[in-house]
Amino acid sequence: MSGNPGDAFDILSQELTALRRSIEHLARTSLDKQEAEALNKTLTQAVGKMERAAENAPASLQNTLRNDRDQVVRNATAAAASAAQGVLTEVAGELAKERDAFRKAAGEARREAWRWFGGFWVWLASVGAAGALLGALAAFWITGRGDAREFGQFPSIYCGTAGGQVVEQDNGSSYCAIWINRPDQ
């Protein structure tokens, strides 16, 4: 070996010191039997809890998902109702505007028609003329029926005005004679 013999001794001493420190460190970090049993018990309990949680996870997850789904449905329903209400409010506003526009247009058309056809006095005259025409037709219709009925009930009174002649008979009775064919004169 070349080199200083003291150096090899120092190296060996340093290696032994490092080895002793490593052993002390291992001794300090290693568990005794009670500590190992306690750790084993703790790990066993933790694994048991994890197994139970894994078994209960589907039911818990289903409940959570069901609750979330119900909440989403409620939120969607509320949002849809709100949107529908907004649309209905908007449509009602538009309909009110259109109704007002039609009302204004109808009023203007009515005023223009009054101006075009002469207004109130022309309307009054046309209503009066229509009433007079209907009255004359009704009177003509009623008069013809009334005269025939009256003639049938009182022939002696209406015989002359109907174009007939009262003929007296020998037994005291009389009748109204109306000539169908008049003799030539």
Side-chain angles (χ1 to χ4, degrees):
M1 288 179 123
S2 67
N4 191 354
D7 288 336
F9 181 73
D10 284 338
I11 292 174
L12 181 61
S13 173
Q14 287 173 358
E15 287 293 324
L16 285 175
T17 304
L19 184 59
R20 187 170 30 102
R21 284 186 191 149
S22 293
I23 290 173
E24 286 176 0
H25 180 65
L26 282 176
R28 274 187 273 141
T29 58
S30 65
L31 302 174
D32 61 3
K33 184 176 179 182
Q34 290 177 345
E35 291 174 339
E37 287 176 356
L39 179 62
N40 184 18
K41 185 178 177 182
T42 303
L43 289 176
T44 304
Q45 289 175 350
V47 169
K49 286 180 183 178
M50 289 167 49
E51 285 177 351
R52 284 191 299 279
E55 289 172 359
N56 294 336
S60 175
L61 186 60
Q62 285 177 354
N63 286 339
T64 303
L65 289 175
R66 188 177 305 119
N67 291 339
D68 288 347
R69 182 196 65 214
D70 292 344
Q71 184 63 35
V72 166
V73 167
R74 283 191 297 273
N75 290 345
T77 302
S82 176
Q85 183 64 34
V87 167
L88 288 177
T89 301
E90 184 178 325
V91 167
E94 291 295 322
L95 287 176
K97 288 179 187 176
E98 290 297 321
R99 182 183 62 232
D100 290 342
F102 282 138
R103 186 180 303 138
K104 288 178 184 176
E108 190 172 321
R110 186 173 46 249
R111 285 187 296 276
E112 187 63 29
W114 278 107
R115 276 184 242 124
W116 180 261
F117 293 112
F120 174 76
W121 297 109
V122 171
W123 174 82
L124 187 60
S126 64
V127 167
L133 178 65
L134 288 175
L137 287 174
F140 178 73
W141 183 66
I142 289 173
T143 302
R145 289 178 167 260
D147 287 347
R149 186 174 59 91
E150 292 295 320
F151 181 77
Q153 287 181 354
F154 306 105
S156 61
I157 297 172
Y158 294 105
C159 186
T161 56
Q165 181 179 358
V166 176
V167 177
E168 298 285 333
Q169 292 187 346
D170 295 336
N171 62 4
S173 66
S174 62
Y175 64 92
C176 180
I178 299 176
W179 297 97
I180 296 175
N181 290 326
R182 294 188 178 244
D184 292 332
Q185 293 184 351

